[in-house]
Amino acid sequence: IQATLQSAGGLLTCRALATDKGKFMPKIALVDDDRNILTSVSMTLEAEGYQVATYTDGASGLDGLTSERPDLAILDIKMPRMDGMELLRRLRQKSDVPVIFLTSKDEEIDELFGLKMGADDFITKPFS
């Protein structure tokens, strides 16, 4: 079973997980040190039918992404304990999960570097 997610740069296809009610819910990992972002984005995604796991820093995000194997990862770049670029570098050694950077870094060089490292898309904060 596959589900398609719309991102700013196009469509991402991911596998879906079965729930006990027989519905299929893609699992998304959200890694950001801003608790307001974690709350608002996770609530929005859950309302749309996605299963969301949240992590407040890069190190815990890497642990969760490795053990939970989500269908999509949404990462901030500037985080404590491990930044998003390092998280993506380490993640790419183990997984090809689609990754979207959701960050306040809006320099074109940051976007190009992130995409070159293997990110699938780049969304800048603030967003609506």
Side-chain angles (χ1 to χ4, degrees), residues 11-67:
L11 297 176
L12 297 173
T13 303
C14 60
R15 65 189 186 282
L17 304 174
T19 67
D20 58 348
K21 297 179 182 174
K23 294 174 93 178
F24 290 92
M25 298 174 57
K27 182 186 259 185
I28 299 174
L30 179 59
V31 188
D32 198 308
D33 61 326
D34 184 331
R35 293 194 187 273
N36 292 327
I37 294 289
L38 287 176
T39 300
S40 62
V41 173
S42 65
M43 287 176 61
T44 300
L45 291 170
E46 288 168 350
E48 292 296 322
Y50 297 100
Q51 184 179 14
V52 180
T54 60
Y55 306 94
T56 57
D57 61 69
S60 65
L62 181 61
D63 290 342
L65 286 161
T66 303
S67 64

Side-chain angles (χ1 to χ4, degrees), residues 7 14-15 20 35 39 43 51 53 58 81-82 88 93 96-97 102 107 114 123:
S7 71
C14 60
R15 65 189 186 282
D20 58 348
R35 293 194 187 273
T39 300
M43 287 176 61
Q51 184 179 14
R81 296 186 56 209
M82 181 187 308
L88 177 61
Q93 294 173 355
D96 62 351
V97 64
L102 177 64
E107 298 291 322
I123 300 171

Side-chain angles (χ1 to χ4, degrees), residues 40-114:
S40 62
V41 173
S42 65
M43 287 176 61
T44 300
L45 291 170
E46 288 168 350
E48 292 296 322
Y50 297 100
Q51 184 179 14
V52 180
T54 60
Y55 306 94
T56 57
D57 61 69
S60 65
L62 181 61
D63 290 342
L65 286 161
T66 303
S67 64
E68 296 293 322
R69 299 179 45 97
D71 302 295
L72 173 69
I74 301 174
L75 312 177
D76 187 14
I77 291 180
K78 297 187 288 185
M79 294 184 291
R81 296 186 56 209
M82 181 187 308
D83 69 27
M85 294 290 187
E86 179 63 16
L87 172 54
L88 177 61
R89 186 189 71 75
R90 292 186 188 187
L91 182 62
R92 284 293 174 248
Q93 294 173 355
K94 302 174 183 183
S95 172
D96 62 351
V97 64
V99 171
I100 297 173
F101 275 123
L102 177 64
T103 184
S104 59
K105 293 186 75 131
D106 60 356
E107 298 291 322
E108 189 173 325
I109 191 72
D110 294 317
E111 182 175 353
L112 292 173
F113 185 64

